[in-house]
Amino acid sequence: ISEEPGHDSGSNPNSDNSLSGVMHYPTLQDALDANSIASNLVPSWIPDRYELGNVEVTSLANQTIFDTYSTSKSNSTLGITYTYWASDGFTPSVIEKDVSDVTEYVQGGITHYIMSNEDVRVVTWINGRCECTIWGNLSLDETEKIIDSIYA
């Protein structure tokens, strides 16, 4: 991740001045571009009932966290959290799940781990130094379609 002029909380109109290191962007792609992260990470398809909102980006000493979510009219939720680590050798997060089996889904040469936690489906994977998690009230077919759209 590189620091770019004009992207600090003091000079960017999209920043949250109450929290140092927190920025807001209109889309996930905008947030990744602004942080010089070029990888297949952004889904081009999500279920019609969702519309992702602004992306909150939190910069910490050794990681940058990209977070966005949407709540549908029926109060179901879809969220995307990507943690980009400043260096290799990081320890991945622990993902909470229920007793159901984990499904491995390979796309783009990367293994994606699909699991459920009660009524929420979670998919998590690592692409380089980026730990990726998408979660929500999704069917298995919808989850796989989201993953496929990242690499289309």
Side-chain angles (χ1 to χ4, degrees):
I1 298 176
S2 64
E3 293 183 26
E4 296 182 30
H7 281 80
D8 63 276
S9 60
S11 63
N12 189 310
N14 295 324
S15 69
D16 180 345
N17 291 323
S18 64
L19 295 172
S20 179
V22 176
M23 304 286 294
H24 293 99
Y25 297 89
T27 70
L28 185 54
Q29 190 62 61
D30 289 337
L32 294 170
D33 290 347
N35 286 274
S36 301
I37 299 172
S39 293
N40 288 339
L41 295 172
V42 179
S44 60
W45 181 88
I46 60 172
D48 289 339
R49 65 187 177 278
Y50 299 111
E51 184 177 326
L52 294 175
N54 286 335
V55 179
E56 182 176 283
V57 178
T58 305
S59 296
L60 304 172
N62 62 346
Q63 63 186 311
T64 302
I65 301 167
F66 301 82
D67 197 27
T68 185
Y69 70 94
S70 172
T71 302
S72 71
K73 291 179 183 175
S74 64
N75 287 327
S76 62
T77 303
L78 172 70
I80 299 176
T81 302
Y82 292 165
T83 303
Y84 191 84
W85 294 88
S87 62
D88 293 329
F90 61 91
T91 302
S93 300
V94 174
I95 305 295
E96 190 172 341
K97 67 175 278 316
D98 59 23
V99 298
S100 62
D101 291 335
V102 173
T103 301
E104 292 185 10
Y105 187 76
V106 179
Q107 185 58 265
I110 296 172
T111 302
H112 301 74
Y113 300 92
I114 302 171
M115 63 203 81
S116 60
N117 185 19
E118 302 299 327
D119 62 343
V120 175
R121 182 139 358 243
V122 178
V123 59
T124 188
W125 71 98
I126 294 176
N127 184 342
R129 293 195 321 240
C130 191
E131 179 181 7
C132 308
T133 304
I134 298 176
W135 53 271
N137 303 100
L138 301 164
S139 69
L140 180 58
D141 288 341
E142 288 174 326
T143 304
E144 290 175 349
K145 191 171 179 180
I146 291 170
I147 295 167
D148 292 344
S149 79
I150 293 170
Y151 305 95

